[in-house]
Amino acid sequence: MDRQEIIEKTELFVKQTLSKDSTGHDWWHIHRVRNLAKRIARHEGANIFIVESAALLHDIGDYKFFQGDEEAGIAKVEEWLSSLEISPSLIDKIMEITSQISFMHTLPAKGERSNKKNFPIPTLSKELMSVTDADRLDAMGAIGIARAFTYGGFFNRPIYDPTVKPSKSITREEYKITESPSINHFYEKLLKLKDMMYTKLGRKMAKRRHRFLNLYLKHFFKEWKGKM
Ligand code: ADP
Ligand code: NI
């Protein structure tokens, strides 16, 4: 099985697995992250096969998030990769990315002190940085806004409630179970992403998407008050 075949098979597997998702983790999210991750990877000189495989599989492991079972998500990715003709060292590299990519993992656990930038991983591969930046960029800008309200709607969250303030230092446990309005998610996650980019191109693109988030919020609150 050559690499192109592995990618095509993986694409089909991911499409089938995520086909019923309406939480913002749909196939088109994977499609965008895959293309963006490859673009960043070319700038970084990262291994494109690892990046493309990991981008395709990054939310299969993230299924843990919805079922509350992290190990099951990781096992599912491993099972898939082991069914293909890929060397164990490549499998390790791909799995390192899919198991570490989640924003949730950058949050401190309950009782744990948050380090200022919330960067828990000491050495990062170019491949991990490329896929992570691409995934985070897809949570920002016009698309990020659409995804936040899609996610919020799926979990019956209101768009905004002025009596519920955003949590300043949300922990991993709170992030999982939060029932706060979707607008709060901008303050709890989306506006933080700009400073969490690992790559040069990621930072450049994040700047524009961040600006758009701020512009959106400005309009939102003006309209909320009936001033615009
Ligand atoms: P990641 O895969 O980076 O860990 P998540 O699984 O947390 O991302 O989120 C998937 C999508 O849903 C993202 O676009 C994210 O911004 C959005 N999302 C996550 N939690 C919330 C929330 N509480 N309210 C609104 N949108 C959310
Ligand atoms: Ni994702």
Side-chain angles (χ1 to χ4, degrees), residues 24-25 29-30 33 55 58-59 62 101 135-136 138 147:
H25 281 112
H29 162 64
I30 308 298
V33 171
H58 84 273
D59 273 341
D62 207 27
I101 190 169
D135 192 34
R136 290 182 176 159
D138 206 56
R147 291 180 74 215

Side-chain angles (χ1 to χ4, degrees), residues 39-214:
R39 185 173 164 206
I40 297 173
R42 282 193 286 270
H43 275 252
E44 292 294 308
N47 179 307
I48 301 289
F49 175 72
I50 295 176
V51 164
E52 191 162 19
S53 308
L56 282 169
L57 291 164
H58 84 273
D59 273 341
I60 298 289
D62 207 27
Y63 251 43
K64 67 193 184 285
F65 190 85
F66 301 98
Q67 290 156 4
D69 185 353
E70 296 200 13
E71 296 304 319
I74 292 170
K76 193 165 180 181
V77 175
E78 188 164 25
E79 196 187 315
W80 172 255
L81 290 170
S82 308
S83 76
L84 305 164
E85 287 156 25
I86 310 180
S87 72
S89 82
L90 270 182
I91 294 186
D92 280 352
K93 285 183 182 144
I94 296 168
M95 292 213 30
E96 186 198 327
I97 302 174
T98 57
S99 58
Q100 293 190 356
I101 190 169
S102 166
F103 172 79
M104 203 175 69
H105 282 113
T106 66
L107 299 171
K110 208 167 140 195
E112 197 177 84
R113 262 164 54 105
S114 117
N115 56 356
K116 198 160 180 290
K117 286 223 159 188
N118 283 335
F119 275 75
I121 316 155
T123 47
L124 303 169
S125 67
K126 286 177 180 174
E127 290 76 22
L128 173 64
M129 293 195 287
S130 305
V131 183
T132 305
D133 278 9
D135 192 34
R136 290 182 176 159
L137 281 164
D138 206 56
M140 303 177 72
I143 289 190
I145 294 169
R147 291 180 74 215
F149 290 112
T150 301
Y151 184 103
F154 184 81
F155 291 105
N156 294 320
R157 311 228 171 107
I159 53 172
Y160 178 52
D161 179 345
T163 64
V164 186
K165 298 290 170 220
S167 168
K168 276 215 177 88
S169 50
I170 194 164
T171 64
R172 215 175 283 172
E173 289 75 12
E174 286 163 351
Y175 185 77
K176 275 190 195 178
I177 56 161
T178 178
E179 289 190 348
S180 62
S182 298
I183 283 287
N184 291 16
H185 186 65
F186 286 65
Y187 299 95
E188 288 163 355
K189 172 180 173 180
L190 309 186
L191 292 170
K192 293 178 183 171
L193 297 174
K194 173 177 73 72
D195 294 327
M196 294 174 73
M197 291 290 141
Y198 294 127
T199 66
K200 203 173 160 198
L201 182 59
R203 267 190 295 279
K204 191 175 156 200
M205 294 183 78
K207 254 192 198 163
R208 294 191 69 184
R209 295 188 188 207
H210 184 84
R211 245 185 271 141
F212 191 73
L213 289 176
N214 275 326

Side-chain angles (χ1 to χ4, degrees), residues 25-41:
H25 281 112
D26 59 313
W27 163 252
W28 294 111
H29 162 64
I30 308 298
H31 170 86
R32 292 188 301 269
V33 171
R34 170 207 209 165
N35 288 338
L36 191 47
K38 280 169 77 179
R39 185 173 164 206
I40 297 173

